Amino acid sequence: MPSIKTSIEIGSAGEHLAMFEIYLAGYNAHLTSDQCKYDIIIDTSSNLIRTQVKTTVKPTDTKELQSFTYQIKRKIGNKAISYALEEFELYAFSCLPLRRVAFMPHKDVLNSHKVTIRLEEYNYYTLDRALKIILG
């Protein structure tokens, strides 16, 4: 089986894993172009939710699969820049080794440069939970 090697392949795999989870939850979704500030649009039938996907392939502690850390900034040249709240509503944190996705409202992770999710928290950060917070 071939391994994923480039950051583009890793990102693409994470986006498709998130799409899979979104479809399983009963929503329609569409990947966006590379020119957008978000990766996926989720159609809840009453709202469109812009979603930024972040993907990891390595655990925080390489000895155990207990937690995974995601960098939540984008690189423009040599600069790391935080995302603005108005750019999207939702993060999807795709963990390729576990084949799991944690969904968090963007407003819940503002002013952070990284997010660490423990193994058991992937069951807590569901898409339905995140959408309830976002949509009220």
Side-chain angles (χ1 to χ4, degrees), residues 31-43:
L31 289 171
T32 64
S33 71
D34 290 338
Q35 288 76 36
C36 286
K37 294 181 179 180
Y38 45 90
D39 301 306
I40 297 173
I41 293 284
I42 301 172
D43 185 348

Side-chain angles (χ1 to χ4, degrees), residues 116-133:
T116 299
I117 301 172
R118 292 188 316 257
L119 181 63
E120 64 274 8
E121 290 177 319
Y122 286 94
N123 292 327
Y124 177 74
Y125 292 115
T126 65
L127 178 59
D128 286 334
R129 177 190 173 278
L131 290 177
K132 283 179 187 171
I133 293 168

Side-chain angles (χ1 to χ4, degrees), residues 16-17 26 41 43 48 50 76 89 115 125 127:
H16 285 85
L17 179 59
I41 293 284
D43 185 348
L48 296 176
R50 300 169 297 170
I76 299 178
E89 293 79 34
V115 168
Y125 292 115
L127 178 59

Side-chain angles (χ1 to χ4, degrees), residues 2-47:
S3 62
I4 297 174
K5 295 183 175 129
T6 69
S7 62
I8 292 172
E9 291 172 322
I10 291 168
S12 181
E15 290 169 0
H16 285 85
L17 179 59
M19 291 281 291
F20 176 73
E21 290 295 327
I22 293 163
Y23 285 132
L24 280 180
Y27 300 98
N28 289 318
H30 307 280
L31 289 171
T32 64
S33 71
D34 290 338
Q35 288 76 36
C36 286
K37 294 181 179 180
Y38 45 90
D39 301 306
I40 297 173
I41 293 284
I42 301 172
D43 185 348
T44 69
S45 75
S46 59
N47 293 89

